[in-house]
Amino acid sequence: MTIFLILAPYGAFAMLMLVTSATVSLLAAALICFGVIALDIARGRSIKILGVGSVIVFAAIGLYLIFVDATLSATAVKIAVDAGILAVSLGSILAGHPFTRQYAIEEVDAETAKLPGFAKANYLITWAWAGAVLLMMISNIAVLYVPSMPLWAGLLVAFAARNAAVYFTRWYPHYRTAKDSAPPARALPSH
């Protein structure tokens, strides 16, 4: 459920870009981000770096289209969104607070959150998301500058990158838990 809420604004943005203007798509995505933030507050959870950063990115680009230049192509808007989200991801890492940590800390007990491996895992997961966003941005740039590249190729890269990040986010904590809790080979009884 958490990953669905995190990805909802981006999914809505992508779907709306197919049927309406970039401005409407961006502002709707910003409103969905506000809704997710309100839901977190109502549940007594923290306000997330990614949520606030996403509101800022979507709203800023939407306002840019309204007040400065309404002629940006859909691909240029997608690149701007990807660049903004990449900046939020990398900024959270540089600030020493990887954005995934806020979500993870609400899912684990206090003892687990204090483990050094917990911090390392969140840095790696945030880097995985930053890498996925970078791949999406590169695919959008390729669609823009390589006219012979079919649109579906860019969509395929975006879909694969996002799904790889989701998979890694789910897989890595289980992998670390299994690896860290496995007894050393010498501790196993021999038969």
Side-chain angles (χ1 to χ4, degrees), residues 138-153:
I138 290 169
S139 72
N140 282 324
I141 291 169
V143 167
L144 186 62
Y145 290 107
V146 181
S148 62
M149 183 176 169
L151 179 60
W152 63 263

Side-chain angles (χ1 to χ4, degrees), residues 6-140:
I6 296 167
L7 295 177
Y10 307 102
F13 168 71
M15 294 307 235
L16 287 171
M17 285 292 287
L18 298 173
V19 297
T20 189
S21 72
T23 304
V24 169
S25 302
L26 289 161
L27 297 179
L31 286 174
I32 293 169
C33 288
F34 271 124
V36 172
I37 291 169
L39 185 62
D40 275 345
I41 292 169
R43 291 181 174 175
R45 295 180 171 202
S46 66
I47 296 174
K48 310 296 188 293
I49 294 168
L50 183 62
V52 172
S54 298
V55 166
I56 292 168
V57 168
F58 287 128
I61 299 168
L63 292 172
Y64 178 85
L65 290 176
I66 292 169
F67 295 112
V68 179
D69 183 6
T71 64
L72 283 180
S73 71
T75 303
V77 169
K78 290 176 188 174
I79 292 168
V81 168
D82 290 343
I85 300 307
L86 181 61
V88 170
S89 300
L90 295 176
S92 76
I93 291 169
L94 291 173
H97 301 286
F99 76 83
T100 59
R101 186 175 190 278
Q102 291 179 295
Y103 298 100
I105 209 160
E106 293 175 346
E107 301 294 325
V108 300
D109 59 78
E111 292 300 313
T112 302
K114 291 178 186 175
L115 296 173
F118 183 79
K120 180 182 177 184
N122 279 283
Y123 275 103
L124 286 172
I125 292 168
T126 302
W127 275 112
W129 280 99
V133 171
L134 181 62
L135 285 174
M136 288 184 256
M137 190 167 67
I138 290 169
S139 72
N140 282 324

